[in-house]
Amino acid sequence: MLTLHHCPGTCALASLIALEESGLAHQVKRVNLAAGEQHSEAYLKINPKGRVPALATERGILTETPAILVYIAQSAPAAALAPLDDPFELARVQAFNSYLCSTVHVAHAHGRRAARWSDDPAAMETMKAKVPQNVADCMRLIEAQMFEGPWVFGEHYTVADAYLLTIAGWLKGDGVDPADFPVVAAHRARMLERPAVERAMAVETA
């Protein structure tokens, strides 16, 4: 059985949704980030990065959301969570997920974890002040150039949809009005109607 190390309100939600969509046997273990559990000796043995998500498989631990998502998709081909038989289309999914991971999530993180990049209080405040603009710029690019509709990659639902839902859920907290991005907002509404997403959200709020 797969074990997802997860904390509500984090990017681990994307992996949880993918697991729920996949039909793969899994369990969820909550990591209390607020209490610093991610820095405990026990958890660092699981993920030395001290972050979530981490997915325990029979072959070892996987970290980083794009890697976990494609692993889940490839482990459950019948669920059709990615275009596994088309190298180019699969690479497009990976490119989208990598953008969310390396650019959008980092823009968000500058508001809450500016200390990762500077010890200067003034510099940290400057980084925080840029979050709304940077995140909005990312969402604008996604709506204008990357989103095909009704799902990220057109008619075919993929793990990229779970990841976009997760990241877009942070907009209000980043000082961005979701109403400014109607395409992403409509996508979120569609996602919330999916039974797998409902189950994942129930875990988040349990």
Side-chain angles (χ1 to χ4, degrees):
M1 178 182 290
L2 300 171
T3 299
L4 179 68
H5 297 271
H6 161 277
C7 180
T10 70
C11 61
L13 174 61
S15 298
L16 178 56
I17 292 171
L19 285 170
E20 291 291 343
E21 296 276 11
S22 73
L24 296 170
H26 66 277
Q27 61 180 343
V28 177
K29 290 191 176 180
R30 185 170 292 193
V31 181
N32 189 336
L33 300 187
E37 187 179 349
Q38 71 273 28
H39 303 305
S40 68
E41 182 178 354
Y43 188 70
L44 290 175
K45 288 180 180 178
I46 296 167
N47 184 2
K49 299 171 185 175
R51 299 183 187 180
V52 293
L55 184 68
T57 79
E58 63 180 11
R59 296 180 61 183
I61 304 292
L62 291 172
T63 63
E64 305 301 333
T65 296
I68 292 172
L69 292 179
V70 77
Y71 171 82
I72 292 169
Q74 290 178 318
S75 297
L81 296 176
L84 303 177
D85 59 349
D86 188 325
F88 182 80
E89 289 300 318
L90 181 59
R92 291 181 68 220
V93 172
Q94 290 290 75
F96 184 86
N97 288 345
S98 295
Y99 179 71
L100 294 183
C101 181
S102 66
T103 302
V104 189
H105 193 158
V106 172
H108 161 81
H110 275 73
R112 288 160 175 75
R113 293 175 175 81
R116 288 179 181 171
W117 294 278
S118 178
D119 294 319
D120 181 352
M124 288 191 280
E125 289 306 312
T126 299
M127 282 188 271
K128 292 177 183 179
K130 284 282 287 183
V131 169
Q133 177 188 334
N134 289 342
V135 171
D137 286 347
C138 291
M139 289 296 121
R140 197 168 293 113
L141 177 63
I142 287 171
E143 286 209 344
Q145 302 291 332
M146 303 172 78
F147 190 94
E148 296 178 15
W151 307 113
V152 173
F153 290 98
E155 296 297 325
H156 301 288
Y157 178 92
T158 70
V159 289
D161 292 290
Y163 205 179
L164 178 59
L165 170 74
T166 300
I167 296 286
W170 302 340
L171 291 179
K172 286 184 180 179
D174 289 335
V176 177
D177 186 351
D180 291 340
F181 300 96
V183 172
V184 172
H187 174 264
R188 180 176 182 82
R190 282 190 294 276
M191 285 291 292
L192 293 176
E193 293 177 352
R194 295 181 70 87
V197 176
E198 291 181 355
R199 293 192 298 271
M201 291 297 194
V203 173
E204 287 262 306
T205 58

